[in-house]
Each structure stands twice: as structure tokens, then as C-alpha cells.
Amino acid sequence: MSKASAPGKIILFGEHAVVYSRPALAVPVPKVHADVEITDSPNPGLWVEAPGIALNAALATLAPTDALRTVIERVFQTLGVHTPPALHIKITSTIPVASGLGSGAAVSVALIRALGLTFGQALTDEQVNTLAYEIEKLHHGTPSGIDNTVITYGKPVYFVRGQTIETFHVGKAFTLVIGNTGVVAPTKETVGAVRQRWQAHPTYWEKIFDQVGQITNQARSAIETGETASLGPLMDANHALLQTMGVSSPELDTLVTAAKESGAMGAKLSGGGGGGNMIALVEPQKAESIAGALEAAGAVSTIITTIQ
Ligand code: PMV
């Protein structure tokens, strides 16, 4: 039997601008994860079971463009496996789908690793990351690659598209509450909407992206030097720019306001926007009460996580 897991992730700063080569900061969220277990199968061929999406079927019966089928077939190509043996692939995940926590990339990474182990080929992080990025491209149009990177390496990442992966140091641990609007919002759509606006007025949008990039760099210094207090205003400023980009939503804004009103030091949407999750920077002793305030304001779930 082979098993592999991959964590969820959140983007702290810089989403969307990162698609246009500005830096972004992201961290893994190990409290939520995708898990893959591969065993010999009594059925011939490959069988895929994913209870979370009510799937229990032979791989060959899935549409050729199906996300899981594509990942599995792509990994076989890389491993040079032409005739796969009878295997039962079970995928479970506690990461909410299409909500900015990297569920798709986490399933890809866990699957790639588990399949590699099954065939006795421990793939390097770089190989896993490259494959997971290919899959992201198939399903998300023009992804920056930040999701697959932070999830593959499982470390805080300072990410600039096309550049060597850089991790960053957390000078002093800080606590976040993640609030899920429950609104499913495919990243492809918000990324596409920003692209249309950028194409219509590139000079204007490049300036917005520059401002986001500056905030991200200031945030990195604040995190590295342990000046957590200055992160709150930077989150607020990043959220305001995301609102200007048109990627926030009434539900996200309601949760951001509720977080601030209940004592968060700063708050912003996280990920593609349009729905999905927001994050709030909180003093650890206030985390539970702020999570409660988010739930009272409509969050369908909350996660308290410490970044260290
Ligand atoms: O919605 P998520 O968590 O997959 O994040 C998307 C981040 C974007 O910057 C909006 C897109 C990208 O590919 O980086």
C-alpha cells in the first residue's frame, strides 16, 4: 500500500498581482489536507474512489478531460508506466473545494507522490511541482504556479512567477482565522475577469499590481523581523486593492468587516476571490471569539492556524 498527503494553503499577500509577475506570500495550512491511499484492487484496471465527490468508478469510465483522470494518466506517462496494474486509488480531502485553499493542487500533489511510491519511484519535490503545475495549467487557464509550489514544498513561500523558489523566515509566530464564505468561486473566472480589465487599461492595472507588490514586500520584511503589528494594516491595504480589482464579493466584505469589528488586527480575502475564504490576523487569545463572530456573520466554517 502507498499513502501520501498534502496540506491546504493560503495566500497571505499578493494574489492576482502574482499572475502579472509581482511577488506573493503563501503558507501551508496542515490542519486541512488531501490524502491518497493506493492498494491492490480486486477489480481489473484502475479504480478511483473519492467519497467527498461521490465518485467510485473505473478510471476508464471517467471523461478524458476529468481532473483526476488527467493527473493519473499524466503521472503514468512521466513514470513510463504503459499498462498499469489493478489498483484501487482512494482520495479523501478535508480542504473545501474551489475556495482558495488549494484543494485541487493538494489532491494533485498527494496523487503524484502516492503513484510515484506505488511504482517505486520517489519523485523529487521539483518533479512533483512541475507535474502539479502542468495539471494546474490544464484546469485553471493561466495559473501563476503559487498553489502547487507552496503545497509541494510545504513551507512558507515568497513566490515570483518563473523565479527560483524562495522560502521566508517567520520571525515571530502569528495567528490567523480563516473564514469560509461557502460561496464556490472558480479561480479561473476571477483570473479571467482581471485579465479582461488589464487588457482594456494596462497602464492603470500595472500600477495597481505594483502597489500590491510593494505591500507584499513590506509584509515579508514585517514577518521576517517579527513586527506582526504592522501586518494588519498591510492586509487591510491589500484587501482594498483587491476590492478595486473587483474580485471581492459582498460575502467576503461582510466577513472582513465582522473580523475587524470583533478585534482582528487586519483582514483580507485570500486566493482568487469572488467567494471562497478570507483571513484575519488575530491575537491568539481572541482567535476563538473572532472565529465565532465570523460564523455569526455567515461563515460556513472557520480554521484557526498559527504561522511559524
Ligand atoms: O484561489 P486560489 O487559492 O487557487 O488562488 C489563486 C491565486 C491567484 O493569484 C488569483 C491566481 C494564481 O494563479 O496565482
Side-chain angles (χ1 to χ4, degrees):
M1 181 171 71
S2 315
K3 276 181 171 189
S5 294
K9 72 98 211 354
I10 40 168
I11 297 182
L12 299 178
F13 290 92
E15 48 276 273
H16 287 288
V18 69
V19 175
Y20 300 84
S21 302
R22 275 38 167 218
L25 299 178
V27 290
V29 180
K31 257 194 191 171
V32 285
H33 41 88
D35 302 284
V36 172
E37 203 177 279
I38 303 180
T39 46
D40 293 339
S41 172
N43 306 304
L46 293 165
W47 194 266
V48 191
E49 184 190 352
I53 51 168
L55 173 70
N56 198 4
L59 187 77
T61 63
L62 304 182
T65 52
D66 177 88
L68 292 175
R69 181 167 174 176
T70 332
V71 189
I72 294 167
E73 291 181 345
R74 188 64 199 81
V75 178
F76 282 138
Q77 263 177 30
T78 305
L79 297 175
V81 175
H82 302 294
T83 327
L87 293 175
H88 185 101
I89 303 174
K90 184 171 180 189
I91 302 159
T92 48
S93 174
T94 56
I95 310 174
V97 291
S99 59
L101 289 176
S103 69
V107 167
S108 296
V109 167
L111 252 175
I112 294 166
R113 289 214 170 105
L115 286 168
L117 291 171
T118 303
F119 291 94
Q121 299 190 31
L123 298 168
T124 63
D125 283 347
E126 205 182 337
Q127 285 173 307
V128 172
N129 196 30
T130 304
L131 264 173
Y133 185 44
E134 273 181 40
I135 308 295
E136 290 279 288
K137 281 196 274 200
L138 287 177
H139 299 292
H140 298 296
T142 56
S144 63
I146 191 167
D147 277 24
N148 47 280
T149 302
V150 68
I151 287 168
T152 300
Y153 290 89
K155 287 186 203 155
V157 168
Y158 175 85
F159 183 87
V160 182
R161 195 173 182 160
Q163 291 189 10
T164 324
I165 294 141
E166 248 182 88
T167 186
F168 60 91
H169 167 72
V170 179
K172 190 171 150 220
F174 57 94
T175 304
L176 296 174
V177 180
I178 306 171
N180 186 357
T181 60
V183 177
V184 169
T187 302
K188 196 174 179 173
E189 285 173 19
T190 52
V191 169
V194 171
R195 184 163 297 274
Q196 278 182 2
R197 291 175 200 132
W198 171 73
Q199 277 165 344
H201 301 284
T203 317
Y204 173 79
W205 287 99
E206 287 292 329
K207 282 191 192 131
I208 304 265
F209 299 146
D210 279 341
Q211 289 176 51
V212 174
Q214 281 158 14
I215 290 173
T216 302
N217 283 328
Q218 287 168 18
R220 179 183 177 168
S221 311
I223 293 171
E224 292 196 317
T225 53
E227 291 160 51
T228 315
S230 55
L231 278 183
L234 290 170
M235 276 189 179
D236 296 342
N238 194 166
H239 185 68
L241 288 167
L242 288 159
Q243 285 176 315
T244 307
M245 286 183 211
V247 297
S248 194
S249 72
E251 295 83 0
L252 282 164
D253 288 339
T254 299
L255 295 188
V256 164
T257 306
K260 294 298 300 278
E261 285 177 357
S262 57
M265 292 181 272
K268 64 182 277 292
L269 72 84
S270 176
N277 281 277
M278 50 71 69
I279 53 175
L281 178 70
V282 304
E283 291 163 74
Q285 69 277 15
K286 291 190 187 159
E288 292 289 350
S289 69
I290 293 173
L294 291 180
E295 279 162 25
V300 294
S301 59
T302 54
I303 299 168
I304 297 172
T305 186
T306 302
I307 313 301
Q308 50 203 351

